[in-house]
Amino acid sequence: MMDNKRYYITTPIYYPSGDPHIGHCYTTVACDSIARYKRMQGYDVMFLTGTDEHGQKIEEKAKAQGITPKAYVDEKVAVFKKLWEYMNISYDRYIRTTDDYHVSAVQNIFKRLYDKGYIYKGEYTGKYCTPCESFWTESQLDENGCCPECHREVKEAKEEAYFFKMSPFAERIEKLLLDTDYLRPKYRAQELVNNFIKPGLEDLCVSRTSFTWGIPVTFDEKHVVYVWIDALSNYITALGYENSEYNDYSKFWPADVHMVAKDIMRFHAIIWPAMLMALEEPLPKHLAVHGWITFNGQKMSKSLGNVVDPFILGERYSPDAIRYHIMREMALGADSSFSNEIMINRINSDLANGLGNLVSRTVAMVDKYFGGTLPTEREAGEFDDDLIATVTALREKTDLCVDETRLKNALEEIFTVVDRANKYIDETAPWILGKDESKKARLASVLYNLLESIRVISTLLSPFMPTTMPKIWAQIGADESLITYENAGKFGVLPENVTVHRGEIIFPRIDVDKEIDELNKIIGDNAPAEDNDGFTPPELASEITIDDFAKIDLRVAQVKECEKVKKSKKLLCLQLDDGFGGRQVVSGIAEWYKPEDLIGKKVIIVANLKPVKLCGVESNGMICAADNKDGGATVIFPDQSLPNGAKVR
Ligand code: ME8
């Protein structure tokens, strides 16, 4: 295989602090589809995924269960691996940051950066809680400025720590983001530059002494390496950088694509390039950033439990249908809202009606009119050229989308051709040709063209839905030796006298109402335990009358603009369309929401609250949010279809 035909793609390494969910599936399935596509194109592919197993959070979770951190992560990693197997994820390598080779490689990387003068010892200043022996940043403190754990007072304190000098790389990183196509989508580059580089790239604190579950700094053992330095290094240690476990660094580095969601874009767009620049190593070619799969307007997370358990969904609709749905819904860079109903409708319209019908109708007609084997006489006719041109142009279009990590668009292109082929059936009306003996050659041509279209479509779809496409090949009589990337650019590959084999329905139609009822039942059965896991609700307030309640005017409003309140880490200033000409509200949710996450969202406000000034900014009302299990607040997002100004009762 030629050297330039190598391709290296990575997912983030996930925190095994809980079970994996559909959000984790998205990145992994997307990378898997690209990896499979590239293998089909003849590339020597390295597809890396894994788990990011150090840090205080893991240490605490393990402690709460009375087990060692290693025992805790071992158990979780097994669940991740089981899910990847279930979803047919064809990773080539799985890295665990607790693997010995990674640990010593990170120690070497840290030492190299220290020896080069990019890491230096300094003092970390923060808020210290003496009873908990913990440092907190300003933004982690509770609403009273106290320890988020025990809610006692904290004091200003200093801790010895190592820092990574970022400023020498600021200019190069700015150029990387603005002048190259490293970041996809590009429109996020300016926001990064404005928020992090223009104000002056701060040195990064890269060691901790407040907990021990991490990689020790070899030359100062009471420090452990900051978890992001440990985690980002995985992309090169997994190839053998600074270790002898593997030997693929020169072959696969630089990576072709790192794929991540927007929450960790900053680490991959700024810190990771800075580390590589300091190490004098080449930079990855692309960073593809996708949005979040959201559920009722919130980032999907494990606390949503079985609503989105990929095992349960996969059991009901097949892993391939789930793979298709999540990739088809998410445009690069944008969020995609998940609902069971949208998923079921998508499966019905595209997979059952679109593709499934095309296959079953075509195969059934070859059976009915020719006993399963096509005769070799042919007669070309109207519509053939257009169909053939559309089908043979598909491969190039799909290639481009895959190369640009636009998988939703790749699937759209393929399903445009599915629709074109279904339309060809209506245009050529084979059931009319079938009634007339003299039209048999024309009928054979029509059916052959359909089988060929299905072959091309299913070949190009196979990286996305690897389990179901072989079932289609069996039905259309395509020997697997004919299923190649090269053949996906050609028409006329199946033997003229091809024999089809009618089989099971590939994507059965789902009864939407019945299914939603059943899913709700499953969610109902499982939700309470999941939902309250570890959370004790505070005591109920004293009783009020309905008249008391009526004094509170709750309304639906929509966020039009949103920005951080200067000099405050906690406050956001929101401009709302409240149905009465608009108002400004200040809300203490900046720790959990970025302004761009809220714009366009509907919220519930207390509309008749007396105006106050917060940090000098006027606030006319309050945004309703609920305490969540992590000690933070989750905004209550009502249905987007509600009108602004609607009263909540
Ligand atoms: O951040 N929608 O790990 P993590 C879409 N260990 N994607 C989602 C998602 C959602 N709702 N939720 C999670 C970490 N993801 C670090 C990474 S890399 C050197 C270290 C996906 O377990 C998405 O890819 O919190 C996101 O970037 C990743 O999971 C974060 O996973």
Side-chain angles (χ1 to χ4, degrees), residues 11-17 21-28 52 80 228 231-235 259-264 268 290-294 298-301 330:
T11 71
I13 46 170
Y14 302 109
Y15 287 129
S17 56
H21 53 71
I22 282 278
H24 298 116
C25 279
Y26 175 78
T27 326
T28 319
D52 181 5
F80 272 86
W228 273 100
L232 288 163
S233 303
N234 96 88
Y235 300 129
M259 189 178 281
V260 303
K262 60 184 183 182
D263 51 344
I264 58 173
H268 288 80
H290 59 80
W292 286 333
I293 297 188
T294 59
Q298 291 174 49
K299 181 179 173 222
M300 178 91 44
S301 72
M330 177 97 86

Side-chain angles (χ1 to χ4, degrees), residues 147-166:
C147 171
E149 287 281 309
C150 69
H151 304 288
R152 277 179 277 210
E153 254 181 49
V154 290
K155 60 177 190 220
E156 197 77 31
K158 288 178 180 161
E159 183 188 65
E160 174 187 291
Y162 286 89
F163 287 84
F164 174 41
K165 271 188 210 161
M166 301 273 285

Side-chain angles (χ1 to χ4, degrees), residues 346-534:
R346 173 68 71 193
I347 294 173
N348 276 348
S349 69
D350 293 10
L351 299 181
N353 294 353
L355 179 62
N357 242 346
L358 175 66
V359 175
S360 60
R361 279 157 95 196
T362 305
V363 171
M365 289 191 287
V366 178
D367 245 359
K368 180 171 174 190
Y369 299 119
F370 298 110
T373 302
L374 283 186
T376 50
E377 298 92 280
R378 293 282 186 274
E379 185 189 318
E382 204 190 346
F383 311 112
D384 293 4
D385 288 349
D386 184 62
L387 176 77
I388 294 169
T390 314
V391 170
T392 46
L394 179 61
R395 193 184 75 169
E396 206 181 314
K397 291 183 182 167
T398 322
D399 285 358
L400 185 69
C401 295
V402 171
D403 280 341
E404 294 179 353
T405 37
R406 292 184 291 108
L407 301 185
K408 173 184 165 69
N409 301 127
L411 292 171
E412 275 166 3
E413 294 288 359
I414 298 173
F415 276 81
T416 306
V417 180
V418 171
D419 292 345
R420 178 69 196 87
N422 271 322
K423 188 166 157 227
Y424 178 78
I425 300 185
D426 299 337
E427 287 165 343
T428 52
W431 51 93
I432 296 176
L433 300 173
K435 286 189 189 138
D436 186 342
E437 245 341 277
S438 70
K439 299 273 170 59
K440 281 281 152 111
R442 175 67 192 134
L443 179 60
S445 282
V446 166
L447 295 178
Y448 182 80
N449 291 342
L450 286 168
L451 290 172
E452 273 294 280
S453 306
I454 296 170
R455 176 188 58 77
V456 171
I457 288 166
S458 56
T459 305
L460 294 173
L461 268 182
S462 61
F464 302 91
M465 290 189 276
T467 330
T468 22
M469 292 309 112
K471 294 183 189 165
I472 294 184
W473 303 331
Q475 294 205 14
I476 62 168
D479 188 282
E480 291 214 11
S481 65
L482 301 177
I483 302 297
T484 63
Y485 173 73
E486 210 195 345
N487 282 344
K490 294 184 192 154
F491 208 88
V493 168
L494 287 171
E496 291 210 322
N497 61 346
V498 58
T499 300
V500 302
H501 308 279
R502 268 181 100 160
E504 58 176 292
I505 294 181
I506 293 163
F507 295 105
R509 236 194 109 71
I510 304 166
D511 179 332
V512 184
D513 292 339
K514 194 165 148 244
E515 190 61 22
I516 297 283
D517 279 354
E518 284 185 22
L519 279 178
N520 283 340
K521 197 163 163 287
I522 295 174
I523 295 161
D525 289 349
N526 289 292
E530 283 281 352
D531 269 347
N532 261 5
D533 170 28

